[in-house]
Amino acid sequence: MHENSPTLTAKKRERLGSRYCKRIRDNGGLPAIVYGHGEQPVPIIVEARNTLRLINSGEKVFTINLEGGFQNQTVLLKDLQFDYLGTNIVHADFARVDMNERVTTRVSVHLVGEAPGLKKAGAVMIHPTTELEIECSVVELPDFIEVSVRALEADGTIYAKDVELPSKNMKLLTDGQAVVAHIVVQVEQPTAEATEAGAAAAPEVLTAKKPEGDAAAKTDAKKK
């Protein structure tokens, strides 16, 4: 929950453009923008290392103090832009919010506990839905949502609709049929080599030997 959100100190960006933003990142900054609540968007620079550490730990709500500008502005992380490889964050979007305002956002899912179904030979857990979209007040916004798998058996499934949200005031927006966790049992299929080896090991079916010489002639005479 976010009664005490982390504080970021920001500076106003005097220039825009990709080259200028690259220079900011090279100097240890992260380009960002603050917008919303009917006010003009403000391009800013925040310290990259600490900000990225907080973002990567799941923080979504921040207090921003702008040097020479607004103070104690509560913001919600709305969007992140990545480099062309999709690995490094290069820009962040923050929206102005009030602590009691209801917002829509995505929250990471953490699976907790040991699933009994994984004790079965060949069992593997898959986790297709790693985030849930929810609606809640800013003050109640969780860093993550824990989902227990302690009762999950082989071939069992936990759907989004099965997840208990941290507060009754929260609303699930993700499709209820989205699969959060599922245990599949993999059955090993015989390889082509094993199939050929099995065929080679099979007993040969013998047929009666065809008579030769005089015996063959007698056999033909009997048929006539």
Side-chain angles (χ1 to χ4, degrees):
M1 306 302 177
H2 290 279
E3 293 86 349
N4 298 309
S5 54
T7 299
L8 302 177
T9 298
K11 297 180 181 179
K12 189 173 181 180
R13 271 191 288 157
E14 300 299 335
R15 296 170 57 188
L16 303 177
S18 57
R19 290 185 179 181
Y20 182 59
C21 286
K22 182 179 184 304
R23 191 179 307 166
I24 291 172
R25 291 189 292 271
D26 291 342
N27 290 325
L30 176 67
I33 191 167
V34 177
Y35 61 88
H37 275 203
E39 298 183 34
Q40 288 293 324
V42 180
I44 62 172
I45 304 170
V46 293
E47 194 273 323
R49 183 175 180 182
N50 182 53
T51 303
L52 294 178
R53 178 183 62 81
L54 292 168
I55 290 174
N56 290 328
S57 69
E59 291 286 351
K60 290 185 177 295
V61 179
F62 300 87
T63 297
I64 292 184
N65 292 326
L66 179 65
E67 293 181 2
F70 56 75
Q71 298 293 302
N72 299 321
Q73 176 67 69
T74 302
V75 298
L76 174 67
L77 178 65
K78 293 294 289 185
D79 192 28
L80 293 171
Q81 296 176 24
F82 293 81
D83 61 12
Y84 69 97
L85 294 176
T87 53
N88 298 315
I89 297 172
V90 297
H91 190 278
D93 289 6
F94 297 101
R96 298 181 181 93
V97 292
D98 294 325
M99 292 303 287
N100 294 320
E101 179 181 347
R102 289 186 69 83
V103 295
T104 297
T105 189
R106 303 183 69 85
V107 181
S108 297
V109 171
H110 290 187
L111 303 182
V112 295
E114 182 177 349
L118 290 177
K119 296 179 181 179
K120 187 171 183 178
V124 176
M125 182 182 293
I126 61 175
H127 182 26
T129 302
T130 59
E131 292 183 326
L132 293 178
E133 186 174 15
I134 64 171
E135 177 189 303
C136 67
S137 63
V138 174
V139 72
E140 287 189 322
L141 183 62
D143 294 331
F144 55 84
I145 296 174
E146 288 190 350
V147 176
S148 173
V149 296
R150 295 183 179 91
L152 192 59
E153 300 288 348
D155 296 321
T157 303
I158 297 176
Y159 297 97
K161 65 181 181 180
D162 302 323
V163 176
E164 183 177 353
L165 299 178
S167 169
K168 63 180 181 180
N169 296 320
M170 295 179 182
K171 180 181 179 181
L172 178 68
L173 300 180
T174 297
D175 183 356
Q177 295 300 316
V179 175
V180 174
H182 176 59
I183 295 182
V184 296
V185 180
Q186 298 178 339
V187 179
E188 185 176 353
Q189 298 294 331
T191 63
E193 292 181 359
T195 303
E196 292 175 0
E204 183 181 357
V205 178
L206 301 178
T207 57
K209 184 177 181 181
K210 184 177 181 180
E212 300 177 358
D214 294 339
K218 292 179 180 178
T219 300
D220 290 341
K222 287 181 180 180
K223 289 181 179 179
K224 294 178 181 180

